Amino acid sequence: MMYPFSYKKIELEAQNFWYNHNCFEIVEIPNKEKFYCLCMFPYPSGNLHIGHVRNYTIGDVISRSQRMLGKNVLNPIGWDAFGMPAENAAKKNIVSPTDWTNSNIYYMYNQLKSLGFSYNWDRKITTCKIDFYRWEQWFFIKLIEHGVIYKNNAIINWDPLEKTILANEQVINGIGWRSGAKIEHRKIPSWFLKITDYAYELLRCLANIDWPESVKKMQVNWIGKYKGIEVSFKVIGSVPNCYSYLKVFTQRPDTLFGVTYILLAPDHHLVELAAQYNYQIKKLCNTFTFCGKCSLATLKNKELGLYVGYNVLHPITNEILPLYVSSFRYFEYGATASMGVPAHSHRDWDFANTYGLPFKTVVSDINGKVPDISKNAYTDFGFIINSGIFNNITCFEAFDYIFYFIKQYKSGVVKQKLKLRDWGISRQRYWGTPIPVKYGITGKQTPLTDEEIPVYLPKHGCLNSKFNLKKIPSFYVLGNGWVRDTETFDTFIESSWYYARFCCTDNNNSILDARVNYWLPVDMYIGGIEHAILHLMYARFFHKLMRDFGLVDCDEPFKKLITQGMVLTYTYYRESFGIKEWFNPLDVCLLKDKKNGNIIPTVKRDGGIVIRNGIEKMSKSKNNGIDPNVLINRFGADTLRLFVMFSAPTEQVLIWSESGIIGSSRFIKRLWNIVHTYIYISGSEHTIIKLSSLRPDQFNLYRQLQKTIKKATSDMIGRHVFNTVISTVMKLTNLVLHFIDIDSSIIGLAVTREALKSIILILAPIVPHITHVLWKVLGFSYAVIDAKWPSYNKHCMLGQLFTVLAQINGKIRKEIKLPLNYHTKTFASTILSSISIKGYLNCKEIHTLIFVHAKVINIVVSL
RNA sequence: GCCCGAAUGGCGAAAAUGGUAUACGCAGGGGACUUAAAAUCCCCCGUCUUAUAAGGCAUGCUGGUUCAAGUCCGGCUUCGGGCACCA
């Protein structure tokens, strides 16, 4: 029998209930155990995409299940509202960044609401609002006073045509994305936060947090602690005194005798000195590119390297070594000079080969054989050769011996270095938090006082397309010759402390208050794996700064982390005049070529052919985000939530495809029908189950129910694996479906009722709307949101038969059902005498018997 | 290039700790109900040999450890994420 089902009615009923009963307004309750669950807040890019749905459903499932465990759950949300896309949209569509952001927030707020997430909306944060960013300015002033912030030169991408600074994302293969111009690199003064001061603590504290190992590894490697020596080479010829020695860091001092040249980066001081007299060097320095994603092949381009005009002396052999500059800034970890050892480094081999520099082999292989370096460098370790008194020792011994030797001549020191660099936080952009600093007539920089902040970001009428605070004198001119800093903060600052502000969003008098120590640290933080390094490192660092200022008590902001795998889709583009236009997969039609069967993607709107770029994460810039609205309207919020959780385990990437959502929809309808069928048959009467009076098939259902609760509890609460929670509940539901057809006795119905109750409770965090209604249908007077997580009966799982596998040489030949307390020896003799096994053992000698209790007996025989 | 992951049927995937590979779902095939369609329900569904029974082969490729490997170790391939101004 079918019962009328309307997800729209169900959703409305549940959401109204939560709203009318203030279910998600939360206060601190000192004696109640707290649980702070947080999802990385979204950038209001226009609309949610499936990646958001996945992220926020995981957070909601965890929040709701923790609530069922009796905890006081904080589950806040907000908007990471400052950032570049608002400026880009403003330029493209002639709207103000404020209006664009606000309308996006309004739309996305409604989308989040429609999905039924249990957010504490009264604590919402919008980072572009003064009540949030004013505290950032306040804290910046404190940091400046304590010397954690300093000013230095930063290198930026300069678009000479647009006369603007571009983000890395906007530079594609050295070309500006809008203008198509070749991008130059310039140095400009910027503010830096001393994250390197906290590097060792950031490394050490990784041991105390429950994060995925992969993320910890990435952070360790990013901080990149490494050891080597810094060798001083004497510069030959007339240079200013301060330039008379060239310091070069190396991690391979054992190859010191193999140096045949020194390579300098374009921003090395000796190169800058040479550039004053040599136009070619100057030109090269102006156009150098970052190593980033370039390939080593670039090195082979002859125009990229030049002799600087200076030579140095080798500290031990006194050989004369030439200095070269490379436009290719490949120096690892920000070093500006490196030893050229072409025989033992692939990149030096390429460089020396291109510029005709000599090779000198100084390391043999592990057998003492001289390696062949005619086609490639030899980069492995072995024994030292061609190195005077150091010959015949191992590379590892040579590290110390060579270091001690050159130390005597004051030509080297051991250095522990970090790959991590300080955090440049200035941005030459409009849509961000204004930096609270002013400059006097002489250029003297002075942080503003507490009375002079907050500095409001001036409204932008979008009259011109240049978003730059430098163009708004009413903003920066302060009188008496003082002017404001016209730059804004990196938007990573906002996301580095918003989690703490959620504890006290209503406080207008201070940045944080005592409530942070009730809620922090965040018990569960959920976000995309793409934030594994930058955001998560900056937030950990910022937390430690706040701790050192007495604002928070704990050492780490996020106790446990789930990194959600990204939701990927195809990206499609069309190129005209070197500029790419990206098309949403929903706007692309896939046609089959009749001749060869190839798929041709075309734009639905105009039929033009587009190019498939690949499968990539859903993002605004590639326009491949799938809007969930279509699916919510067609199937309902519960179905979408269920499907997204069922499709793949949370940490795995998910290549989006909506085929299969129909299965989730069917399951929800089936559940609706079973519960109504049960009520139709049983009426409102129900009895209590006595285990001893259950028939075998009734007991079987009861036992499957206990198993399901056990599995669901460990997967939902312990492992946070939701797809298996759903599949195990589906299995039980199928069982109930058949059972209810056969057994409508009073006891049978009682077992059915128990099963339905647990199914609803287990599913309640995942599909909160339908379970809200079905719980009422089952006749409970309180709402399912206030129900407790089900517990299982351990005892009924004992005393059952187990399947033991009989294997011969690891191949399964027979399975036998045995009680758990069987005797191994009796079992062995029984199995060896069984006829089917005897057939396999014919005339073969038994070597060993391997027993794994309640699992396997493996009979190892000679072949 | 460097760092971190991933790879199992036609598809999404399951198998915590090494011990029945493919649970659950989608698609597909067949059937029931129906005037019909939709919906719902039932059966089949990795691959090869053979009518069946039965057996062989299968977890990206490759080599190893083990009585036993999807799972552990080594070497590759392909795909994804990050690489400091996308967030």
Side-chain angles (χ1 to χ4, degrees):
Chain A
M1 184 159 177
M2 300 288 288
Y3 296 86
F5 170 83
S6 158
Y7 55 81
K8 290 213 165 115
K9 265 193 193 163
I10 292 169
E11 282 165 19
L12 196 69
E13 185 181 335
Q15 289 178 12
N16 280 344
F17 179 90
W18 302 328
Y19 179 77
N20 293 333
H21 291 78
N22 300 326
C23 288
F24 308 125
E25 275 177 30
I26 217 81
V27 288
E28 299 70 32
I29 306 169
N31 300 325
K32 196 171 176 186
E33 191 181 350
K34 64 93 184 180
F35 191 92
Y36 185 176
C37 180
L38 182 66
C39 293
M40 293 179 187
F41 65 163
Y43 179 81
S45 57
N47 42 27
L48 294 183
H49 55 67
I50 301 293
H52 292 117
V53 176
R54 192 181 196 195
N55 194 179
Y56 301 136
T57 305
I58 296 167
D60 202 48
V61 170
I62 293 172
S63 291
R64 286 174 181 269
S65 57
Q66 289 295 327
R67 186 187 177 117
M68 290 176 84
L69 293 174
K71 298 197 187 146
N72 194 24
V73 178
L74 179 64
N75 181 29
I77 189 82
W79 308 101
D80 190 10
F82 273 142
M84 222 178 42
E87 286 184 28
N88 293 336
K91 277 179 199 166
K92 202 174 161 190
N93 308 324
I94 328 272
V95 289
S96 84
T98 319
D99 294 345
W100 185 81
T101 304
N102 285 342
S103 73
N104 289 349
I105 287 177
Y106 179 73
Y107 186 78
M108 290 168 76
Y109 166 78
N110 284 315
Q111 287 188 303
L112 288 176
K113 277 269 182 177
S114 71
L115 281 156
F117 295 133
S118 60
Y119 293 126
N120 320 119
W121 280 108
D122 53 323
R123 294 190 184 232
K124 154 189 94 184
I125 281 173
T126 308
T127 58
C128 63
K129 297 219 161 131
I130 191 75
D131 59 356
F132 182 80
Y133 71 75
R134 63 182 298 176
W135 298 113
E136 237 161 77
Q137 295 175 337
W138 176 86
F139 196 49
F140 179 86
I141 294 167
K142 303 290 167 256
L143 291 173
I144 261 193
E145 284 166 4
H146 283 77
V148 190
I149 294 185
Y150 65 95
K151 213 160 195 187
N152 199 355
N153 280 331
I155 295 161
I156 50 85
N157 305 308
W158 178 253
D159 187 324
L161 219 69
E162 273 194 7
K163 301 208 183 324
T164 51
I165 290 165
L166 297 186
N168 290 345
E169 188 192 45
Q170 299 170 317
V171 182
I172 298 148
N173 297 327
I175 304 291
W177 70 342
R178 262 190 304 255
S179 69
K182 194 155 189 259
I183 297 308
E184 296 169 9
H185 291 98
R186 291 191 175 179
K187 277 184 182 175
I188 55 161
S190 290
W191 293 102
F192 283 85
L193 266 174
K194 284 187 184 168
I195 190 172
T196 51
D197 278 4
Y198 285 75
Y200 291 97
E201 200 197 336
L202 287 167
L203 275 178
R204 206 169 49 241
C205 287
L206 284 173
N208 309 329
I209 46 181
D210 187 4
W211 285 21
E213 281 308 310
S214 58
V215 177
K216 289 189 184 183
K217 275 186 204 160
M218 279 190 254
Q219 295 219 341
V220 168
N221 294 337
W222 185 260
I223 294 170
K225 196 169 84 177
Y226 62 102
K227 200 173 120 183
I229 69 173
E230 193 178 76
V231 186
S232 294
F233 292 81
K234 192 169 179 6
V235 181
I236 304 170
S238 60
V239 284
N241 237 355
C242 55
Y243 294 158
S244 58
Y245 279 93
L246 171 69
K247 287 179 176 168
V248 182
F249 179 84
T250 176
Q251 284 182 270
R252 289 289 304 268
D254 53 311
T255 62
L256 188 59
F257 282 76
V259 179
T260 58
Y261 63 93
I262 303 286
L263 197 54
L264 302 177
D267 54 343
H268 190 277
H269 54 257
L270 272 172
V271 177
E272 284 170 349
L273 185 70
Q276 291 172 15
Y277 313 104
N278 186 323
Y279 174 72
Q280 275 191 309
I281 294 178
K282 193 175 178 181
K283 197 173 139 200
L284 182 144
C285 290
N286 283 340
T287 58
F288 73 82
T289 51
F290 289 100
C291 65
K293 293 150 195 167
C294 310
S295 78
L296 268 178
T298 324
L299 258 188
K300 291 174 182 155
N301 184 339
K302 263 224 167 198
E303 286 168 34
L304 297 169
L306 278 176
Y307 173 56
V308 178
Y310 295 108
N311 299 311
V312 293
L313 285 179
H314 191 286
I316 301 178
T317 64
N318 278 326
E319 280 170 291
I320 295 170
L321 307 171
L323 300 187
Y324 273 75
V325 58
S326 169
S327 67
F328 188 75
R329 195 185 143 85
Y330 66 81
F331 296 91
E332 284 160 15
Y333 317 149
T336 54
S338 76
M339 304 195 318
V341 188
H344 303 292
S345 148
H346 291 306
R347 68 171 196 213
D348 294 346
W349 192 97
D350 283 339
F351 193 86
N353 200 37
T354 309
Y355 296 96
L357 294 159
F359 289 69
K360 207 176 147 194
T361 313
V362 293
V363 176
S364 73
D365 70 13
I366 200 143
N367 303 313
K369 211 178 123 200
V370 180
D372 174 20
I373 56 153
S374 61
K375 293 208 177 81
N376 220 330
Y378 177 76
T379 56
D380 277 350
F381 294 99
F383 291 95
I384 300 298
I385 53 173
N386 297 327
S387 301
I389 56 166
F390 301 103
N391 284 347
N392 302 323
I393 59 174
T394 66
C395 288
F396 304 105
E397 291 167 324
F399 186 103
D400 291 333
Y401 285 163
I402 292 181
F403 166 62
Y404 286 124
F405 189 82
I406 60 171
K407 195 179 159 194
Q408 285 173 19
Y409 297 95
K410 296 194 167 56
S411 303
V413 284
V414 168
K415 284 230 161 155
Q416 182 94 271
K417 287 206 169 196
L418 295 172
K419 194 184 148 208
L420 182 72
R421 307 200 298 264
D422 277 338
W423 176 11
I425 53 165
S426 309
R427 296 291 179 271
Q428 302 69 37
R429 308 199 185 285
Y430 163 76
W431 192 236
T433 304
I435 295 180
V437 172
K438 62 182 178 181
Y439 300 87
I441 256 170
T442 55
K444 186 191 172 211
Q445 65 196 34
T446 312
L448 300 182
T449 61
D450 285 357
E451 290 69 42
E452 290 172 305
I453 53 167
V455 180
Y456 282 80
L457 181 68
K459 288 223 165 68
H460 198 293
C462 202
L463 292 173
N464 62 47
S465 63
K466 292 241 167 31
F467 288 94
N468 195 333
L469 291 175
K470 274 191 183 136
K471 302 263 158 90
I472 310 177
S474 60
F475 168 75
Y476 65 80
V477 177
L478 290 176
N480 293 334
W482 288 93
V483 290
R484 282 192 198 287
D485 197 312
T486 51
E487 301 188 346
T488 49
F489 284 146
D490 178 6
T491 55
F492 271 124
I493 300 252
E494 283 89 59
S495 53
S496 290
W497 73 286
Y498 76 112
Y499 62 88
R501 182 69 187 172
F502 273 131
C503 304
C504 52
T505 46
D506 57 357
N507 191 333
N508 294 320
N509 302 313
S510 61
I511 178 169
L512 299 175
D513 61 38
R515 286 174 284 175
V516 293
N517 295 325
Y518 174 77
W519 291 114
L520 290 182
V522 173
D523 294 278
M524 180 63 84
Y525 194 38
I526 305 138
I529 183 71
E530 74 271 29
H531 296 292
I533 294 173
L534 292 182
H535 161 58
L536 286 168
M537 183 80 82
Y538 290 144
R540 291 182 63 216
F541 162 56
F542 216 79
H543 185 87
K544 288 172 195 298
L545 288 177
M546 293 194 291
R547 178 203 58 193
D548 291 348
F549 277 82
L551 297 170
V552 293
D553 276 355
C554 49
D555 288 328
E556 284 286 333
F558 313 120
K559 201 156 126 193
K560 198 172 163 100
L561 175 74
I562 290 183
T563 46
Q564 164 211 226
M566 257 160 303
V567 180
L568 312 176
T569 43
Y570 287 102
T571 48
Y572 300 94
Y573 70 88
R574 184 160 63 183
E575 200 165 354
S576 57
F577 304 106
I579 311 284
K580 282 176 179 167
E581 188 187 357
W582 296 90
F583 291 90
N584 192 283
L586 294 180
D587 300 329
V588 170
C589 185
L590 300 175
L591 298 173
K592 214 172 199 177
D593 189 321
K594 279 175 191 158
K595 286 176 203 155
N596 52 23
N598 291 347
I599 301 283
I600 308 166
T602 56
V603 181
K604 279 183 189 164
R605 169 161 44 89
D606 57 22
I609 293 173
V610 286
I611 296 162
R612 184 183 272 188
N613 195 54
I615 300 173
E616 291 166 277
K617 70 168 174 175
M618 289 190 182
S619 72
K620 192 81 190 164
S621 61
K622 298 265 171 85
N623 188 18
N624 67 338
I626 304 291
D627 190 328
N629 266 23
V630 182
L631 297 170
I632 297 173
N633 289 334
R634 216 162 93 210
F635 296 100
D638 281 338
T639 297
L640 181 58
R641 291 171 60 124
L642 183 73
F643 177 59
V644 167
M645 289 297 94
F646 182 60
S647 290
T650 52
E651 308 242 324
Q652 196 164 305
V653 295
L654 177 60
I655 297 167
W656 178 250
S657 153
E658 61 172 76
S659 88
I661 194 168
I662 191 76
S664 298
S665 174
R666 274 179 204 150
F667 173 72
I668 281 178
K669 282 184 202 157
R670 194 177 304 152
L671 185 67
W672 178 263
N673 282 326
I674 297 173
V675 173
H676 282 88
T677 306
Y678 160 78
I679 292 296
Y680 177 78
I681 298 171
S682 74
S684 57
E685 278 178 48
H686 39 87
T687 184
I688 290 165
I689 300 170
K690 267 191 219 149
L691 282 191
S692 54
S693 58
L694 294 186
R695 290 201 319 256
D697 57 330
Q698 293 167 338
F699 186 75
N700 179 51
L701 177 61
Y702 183 81
R703 200 161 56 90
Q704 288 307 319
L705 167 62
Q706 304 311 314
K707 274 183 153 174
T708 303
I709 300 171
K710 189 183 177 195
K711 167 93 177 140
T713 305
S714 89
D715 287 357
M716 178 87 102
I717 314 287
R719 299 200 301 152
H720 306 292
V721 179
F722 307 113
N723 54 333
T724 52
V725 173
I726 296 166
S727 64
T728 195
V729 170
M730 281 178 169
K731 235 159 115 175
L732 182 68
T733 310
N734 289 343
L735 206 64
V736 174
L737 190 70
H738 299 132
F739 185 81
I740 204 170
D741 271 352
I742 312 162
D743 188 347
S744 56
S745 68
I746 291 176
I747 295 176
L749 284 170
V751 180
T752 299
R753 183 183 170 80
E754 275 307 298
L756 291 176
K757 222 174 98 182
S758 297
I759 288 170
I760 291 172
L761 289 174
I762 292 167
L763 289 174
I766 303 170
V767 286
H769 304 96
I770 189 174
T771 48
H772 172 86
V773 174
L774 289 180
W775 190 248
K776 255 175 60 184
V777 171
L778 271 190
F780 289 94
S781 56
Y782 60 96
V784 75
I785 192 157
D786 297 317
K788 293 270 161 290
W789 184 257
S791 54
Y792 59 94
N793 180 350
K794 285 174 198 151
H795 307 294
C796 83
M797 283 190 269
L798 296 172
Q800 294 302 311
L801 294 180
F802 281 76
T803 306
V804 176
L805 304 173
Q807 302 179 332
I808 295 170
N809 286 351
K811 274 199 194 303
I812 294 151
R813 296 302 180 190
K814 195 177 168 74
E815 36 184 87
I816 303 119
K817 293 226 187 278
L818 291 171
L820 195 59
N821 56 353
Y822 68 89
H823 286 285
T824 310
K825 277 185 184 166
T826 332
F827 170 61
S829 58
T830 318
I831 197 84
L832 287 174
S833 58
S834 99
I835 294 167
S836 60
I837 292 289
K838 269 188 169 171
Y840 291 107
L841 294 178
N842 230 355
C843 309
K844 282 170 189 158
E845 191 192 335
I846 296 173
H847 282 292
T848 334
L849 290 175
I850 308 262
F851 288 101
V852 181
H853 188 72
K855 274 185 183 158
V856 158
I857 172 174
N858 191 9
I859 307 161
V860 186
V861 298
S862 56
L863 292 171

